[in-house]
Amino acid sequence: MSVDADRDFSAESKSIEAGLQGFPVDAVCTGCQREHVKRVRPEDVNQEFGVDPLTLDVADLTSFKHVCHRCGTATWWNPTDLLKGLIETERDRGE
């Protein structure tokens, strides 16, 4: 799990760098080792379409391709945390 008091996971999840679809995970770029919130669809991380992400564990998620704005390319990202608190908050707000 990523622990960094200076990071605002909610703001990261709303940034264009996170992506537009899916549930939020904290992930690390395999190229530059940058950690950032990324949004993934279940099928991007080897899960069934429609699965409730709150039933998953980060160990259930595979690496996925996503743009790294630091590397400047689409690269592989490894999930380090499933942001369940953020998923619950977004659901409560109807997002």
Side-chain angles (χ1 to χ4, degrees):
M1 180 160 110
S2 180
V3 179
D4 188 341
D6 295 333
R7 291 181 58 201
D8 182 343
F9 294 110
S10 180
E12 283 185 33
S13 73
K14 293 175 184 164
S15 75
I16 193 71
E17 292 182 27
L20 302 174
Q21 297 180 341
F23 56 90
V25 298
D26 198 25
V28 61
C29 172
T30 60
C32 67
Q33 304 304 304
R34 175 185 189 206
E35 287 188 72
H36 199 277
V37 174
K38 295 293 183 180
R39 291 194 170 274
V40 295
R41 298 172 301 180
E43 56 271 26
D44 296 335
V45 288
N46 202 30
Q47 298 297 315
E48 290 186 29
F49 176 80
V51 68
D52 182 355
L54 294 177
T55 65
L56 301 174
D57 185 82
V58 72
D60 299 328
L61 309 179
T62 61
S63 297
F64 59 94
K65 275 234 171 173
H66 208 288
V67 174
C68 178
H69 292 267
R70 183 180 292 165
C71 290
T73 185
T75 189
W76 290 99
W77 290 76
N78 293 324
T80 58
D81 193 12
L82 184 59
L83 301 175
K84 291 184 177 184
L86 191 53
I87 294 168
E88 291 170 337
T89 299
E90 290 175 354
R91 282 185 180 175
D92 289 345
R93 290 190 300 218
E95 294 178 10

